[in-house]
Amino acid sequence: MTGHLFIVETELQLLAAMAIEDQYLSVDRDVAHYFVTSDKLQNAAAERGKNNLTLLDRNHHGGLLGKIRFIKENTRTVLNVAESLSVGSDSCVLYIPRIDDIYNNVLTAQFRRKKLGKVALLPDGALNIFSSNITAACRKNLKKWSLKLRLLAPGYRVLQYDGDELGADSEWVDVIYSFNGLNTGYCADKERYIEFPVQFSKTGESDSAMIIGQNFLAYHQANHDFVATVTAEIHSLLGVLKPQRIFYAPHPRAVTAEFRTDGMEPVSGPYLCIEEMIAVLGCRYVISCNSTALFTARLIDPSIRCYAVGAESSPIQNQYQRESLLSAMQDAGINVVTLPSAVHAT
């Protein structure tokens, strides 16, 4: 019996993890265990029948010592399950979204040190398309954490690596899962593909639009002027498209309803990812700025018309990532709508 340990931080990662379980795992030979980082994800997984489910508490407090304690507790929680599943000759597979995060980095290091099995990357939508090489600042931060753990948590280590910031190019990652249809540019020898698991039988049947909000303001990624300009341009675009109904879905962790204007109907009912509602409502148009859902909507049904409003001015870490994002949008058939005037996101 092989244990499959999924570290899930977002709704899309949960959807991907369940798709891997459905498309790759065997009921007779494999067992899946989900480790989620929020109550919302825990409830969503439970509602979908996931019984092997553990909540990882990452809301650390108590300064540096408090965070180190949480890192150790999170790591021990996962490794205890891994060790219980790897009795005898059986091994495990640890699925993580990235290793530049200190929680996932330390967990991967301990998992590797104990030789418990292989490490795989979970797909995370558009982030896998325009991730760049690890920055000097990130590398410096990991080295600082290595020193902190050496002094304050002997026996715990931090993985250092080069190449892709998420860890795709590193020796610590054995397998990379990607949604079929998204061009990531990852090493072909490592990559495995999963079909996007949303039903698309109803898409395009109605003349409706889905506006997807983002979380720029809460994350301090963009200023109010940028959000207001994108909102106004979306409103103008809707005047051209003239959809019969306009639905609005906020970012899952949004504090404010970015891009929402009067006349938009809030999406209601239980759903894990907005892609599920795009399919259920049969939306013909999907509109946002640089949301991952613009890409995944095209995976649901290539006939869906997607618009990235202000993507060329959106808050992206560097020029390489911006060019990669815009190129990927062009390849995916996403319409990039340029803002009417030069607006700086920050």
Side-chain angles (χ1 to χ4, degrees):
M1 187 72 71
T2 300
H4 297 261
L5 315 176
F6 295 97
I7 310 301
V8 175
E9 301 168 347
T10 69
E11 291 77 10
L12 186 59
Q13 290 169 18
L14 178 55
L15 196 70
M18 293 189 296
I20 293 171
E21 181 180 3
D22 291 340
Q23 297 172 29
Y24 278 91
L25 274 56
S26 165
V27 175
D28 299 326
R29 300 189 304 273
D30 301 288
V31 58
H33 196 111
Y34 290 77
F35 299 87
V36 297
T37 59
S38 72
D39 292 331
K40 182 179 179 181
L41 290 171
Q42 184 180 35
N43 293 335
E47 289 170 0
R48 284 157 177 79
K50 304 306 173 186
N51 297 317
N52 298 326
L53 187 59
T54 300
L55 176 64
L56 296 178
D57 185 0
R58 292 185 174 180
N59 296 316
H60 69 273
H61 50 80
L64 174 60
L65 293 179
K67 185 164 185 176
I68 290 177
R69 178 171 61 84
F70 274 64
I71 290 172
K72 292 169 65 176
E73 290 177 356
N74 274 241
T75 300
R76 282 197 297 265
T77 297
V78 178
L79 293 185
N80 286 343
V81 174
E83 289 171 340
S84 70
L85 294 174
S86 59
V87 177
S89 60
D90 292 334
S91 61
C92 293
V93 182
L94 174 66
Y95 300 79
I96 55 171
R98 56 198 303 163
I99 61 173
D100 57 346
D101 169 82
I102 191 61
Y103 281 96
N104 295 331
N105 188 297
V106 173
L107 170 59
T108 303
Q110 296 302 102
F111 186 86
R112 282 291 199 183
R113 187 177 69 83
K114 291 178 175 288
K115 299 180 180 180
L116 292 172
K118 293 184 176 181
V119 176
L121 277 189
L122 277 175
D124 203 14
L127 185 60
N128 301 115
I129 297 173
F130 62 86
S131 64
S132 60
N133 284 345
I134 185 171
T135 63
C138 182
R139 190 179 288 109
K140 183 178 180 180
N141 185 53
L142 291 178
K143 288 181 179 178
K144 286 183 177 179
W145 268 110
S146 182
L147 177 60
K148 293 172 184 176
L149 294 183
R150 194 179 307 135
L151 295 173
L152 300 174
Y156 287 81
R157 57 177 296 214
V158 175
L159 300 176
Q160 308 295 331
Y161 62 97
D162 295 313
D164 175 72
E165 62 182 338
L166 306 184
D169 300 327
S170 75
E171 61 183 296
W172 313 117
V173 172
D174 302 292
V175 180
I176 305 165
Y177 283 90
S178 302
F179 290 121
N180 194 18
L182 285 185
N183 182 16
T184 63
Y186 290 145
C187 175
D189 292 339
K190 287 186 177 183
E191 203 160 26
R192 294 182 185 174
Y193 294 97
I194 53 176
E195 297 298 327
F196 199 75
V198 172
Q199 298 295 318
F200 55 86
S201 59
K202 292 186 178 181
T203 51
E205 289 186 0
S206 69
D207 189 22
S208 300
M210 177 70 71
I211 314 302
I212 301 174
Q214 302 211 218
N215 207 19
F216 293 144
L217 297 177
Y219 290 155
H220 304 290
Q221 295 174 330
N223 56 41
H224 288 271
D225 287 343
F226 176 78
V227 173
T229 303
V230 172
T231 303
E233 193 61 21
I234 289 175
H235 182 74
S236 297
L237 176 62
L238 291 170
V240 175
L241 298 177
K242 294 181 169 57
Q244 292 179 351
R245 299 180 70 182
I246 304 170
F247 296 99
Y248 176 82
H251 186 279
R253 283 161 293 284
V255 177
T256 58
E258 295 180 14
F259 310 153
R260 184 178 179 182
T261 55
D262 294 340
M264 296 182 182
E265 303 177 44
V267 174
S268 59
Y271 63 91
L272 175 58
C273 291
I274 192 56
E275 291 84 356
E276 294 175 331
M277 296 307 298
I278 291 171
V280 168
L281 296 170
C283 296
R284 181 172 298 175
Y285 311 105
V286 176
I287 304 170
S288 190
C289 180
N290 63 10
S291 171
T292 287
L294 295 170
F295 290 92
T296 49
R298 295 284 293 174
L299 299 183
I300 298 172
D301 188 341
S303 69
I304 297 176
R305 295 165 64 181
C306 295
Y307 296 86
V309 179
E312 81 294 340
S313 303
S314 62
I316 300 294
Q317 185 175 12
N318 55 54
Q319 187 60 26
Y320 170 81
Q321 287 188 328
R322 188 182 309 281
E323 293 174 357
S324 298
L325 174 64
L326 296 177
S327 176
M329 286 180 168
Q330 183 179 18
D331 292 342
I334 298 170
N335 302 288
V336 178
V337 179
T338 303
L339 298 180
S341 59
V343 178
H344 296 290
T346 56

